[in-house]
Amino acid sequence: MYFQLQDIEAAKLNIDDPDHLRIHSLETFGTHDGPGIRMVVFAQGCQFRCLYCQNPDTLDVKGGSLVEIEELVKRAVRQKSYFGKTGGVTVSGGEPLLQRNKLLHFFKLLHEQGINTCLDTNGRLNNHQAQELFDNTDLLLLDVKHINDEIHHKLTGLTNKNTLEVAAYRESTGKPMWLRYVLVPGWTDQPEYMEKWGQHFTNYKTVERVEIIPFHQLGSQKWELLNMPYALKDTAAPTPESKAEAFAIFSKYFKNVILK
């Protein structure tokens, strides 16, 4: 493990200082994390330890900076005219669920202003608090990193059990979600497991879209700057043939597959 999990600090992150979110950064004109033009809030802190993490500087639950939730709402309202009919606010990470109680308050305030909400999560938690947040989220972007639990554990440091439970819970509510899949050569590009991934979700009625996100090395310098060992420093990006194969497999199970 290249970075401690910070369980105690992560628990405090959800309850301490309820008027402030601990964030890594803010993007005011995002077009990659949900529909339309979006203000994207990157929450600080994550308990997954993905080998391919592109933002290792978001892992530390004590990093980033505290921003008043009311201030974030004001910023979103000022940008509302740019959101149009489909845009809004996305909270990504890091892992947003670590601050689920605060985000529930944030999303309720945004809804009072008529602003659409997206939550981009790895599904780390599926407790009552997390479900209350899901119920107040217009669109869930769920990153299901691997269908095989043993490989998922090697890839992220944790089980995929909670993530699959989050997907099942979302399905039970009938509310929409997009599923995301990072295509990493040697780790997530095994055809047999992509088939199983597709078979697992193919009958879900709430999956509006599946996004395939090819691995890249753009985050490798961050690992170096943080002086952390980067296990995938020699891993190449997926080939055109590999991306085409993934697209073909997922397209067998879903009508709307996007290769990013």
Side-chain angles (χ1 to χ4, degrees):
M1 191 67 66
Y2 58 80
F3 194 86
Q4 58 184 334
L5 287 178
Q6 302 178 299
D7 287 335
I8 296 175
E9 293 87 350
K12 290 179 180 177
L13 190 61
N14 188 48
I15 54 178
D16 286 353
D17 205 351
D19 295 327
H20 293 79
L21 276 178
R22 185 171 288 281
I23 74 169
H24 171 268
S25 57
L26 192 66
E27 185 178 357
T28 57
F29 209 78
T31 57
H32 298 288
D33 298 295
I37 295 170
R38 312 194 69 82
M39 184 177 99
V40 185
V41 179
F42 293 93
Q44 180 71 27
C46 184
Q47 290 184 302
F48 271 31
R49 295 294 180 260
C50 300
L51 297 179
Y52 58 76
C53 181
Q54 298 300 306
N55 296 303
D57 46 340
T58 67
L59 297 180
D60 186 358
V61 301
K62 294 179 287 189
S65 57
L66 289 169
V67 178
E68 194 176 16
I69 291 174
E70 293 281 354
E71 173 59 26
L72 291 172
V73 174
K74 289 178 183 176
R75 288 189 180 212
V77 170
R78 287 199 294 270
Q79 296 176 43
K80 189 176 175 182
S81 61
Y82 295 100
F83 296 155
K85 293 182 180 178
T86 57
V89 172
T90 296
V91 178
S92 183
E95 175 44 54
L97 288 180
L98 295 187
Q99 301 183 73
R100 52 203 174 278
N101 282 348
K102 300 176 186 181
L103 288 178
L104 176 61
H105 176 54
F106 182 37
F107 278 13
K108 285 183 175 179
L109 291 176
L110 291 172
H111 285 158
E112 288 176 6
Q113 298 295 330
I115 296 174
N116 176 275
T117 57
C118 284
L119 186 72
D120 179 16
T121 175
N122 59 32
R124 170 74 176 85
L125 292 168
N126 186 39
N127 60 19
H128 175 72
Q129 294 173 340
Q131 291 179 358
E132 192 172 5
L133 175 60
F134 300 147
D135 293 346
N136 284 273
T137 299
D138 294 313
L139 177 64
L140 187 69
L141 310 180
L142 183 62
D143 190 356
V144 185
K145 299 173 188 295
H146 209 288
I147 198 65
N148 178 278
D149 192 40
E150 183 179 352
I151 299 175
H152 187 281
H153 202 284
K154 291 177 180 176
L155 187 63
T156 72
L158 293 169
T159 177
N160 65 8
K161 179 174 178 289
N162 291 336
T163 305
L164 297 180
E165 287 181 355
V166 166
Y169 176 77
R170 187 66 173 182
E171 174 70 6
S172 74
T173 67
K175 295 173 71 71
M177 63 177 162
W178 292 3
L179 298 180
R180 304 181 120 184
Y181 190 82
V182 181
L183 187 65
V184 187
W187 283 95
T188 68
D189 61 346
Q190 311 96 326
E192 67 271 30
Y193 289 122
M194 288 192 284
E195 295 276 1
K196 288 183 178 179
W197 194 102
Q199 291 163 5
H200 184 91
F201 294 112
T202 188
N203 291 322
Y204 274 45
K205 299 185 182 338
T206 58
V207 176
E208 293 185 342
R209 172 167 165 157
V210 171
E211 293 186 336
I212 304 169
I213 304 171
F215 167 79
H216 57 69
Q217 288 283 2
L218 295 180
S220 59
Q221 287 187 336
K222 293 182 180 180
W223 289 77
E224 200 172 315
L225 289 171
L226 292 167
N227 197 28
M228 296 197 305
Y230 182 37
L232 302 190
K233 64 181 180 181
D234 297 322
T235 300
T239 64
E241 292 77 14
S242 174
K243 290 189 285 188
E245 181 179 38
F247 182 82
I249 290 174
F250 286 123
S251 294
K252 289 196 297 184
Y253 301 102
F254 308 98
K255 293 179 180 177
N256 188 15
V257 179
I258 303 296
L259 179 61
K260 303 281 278 189

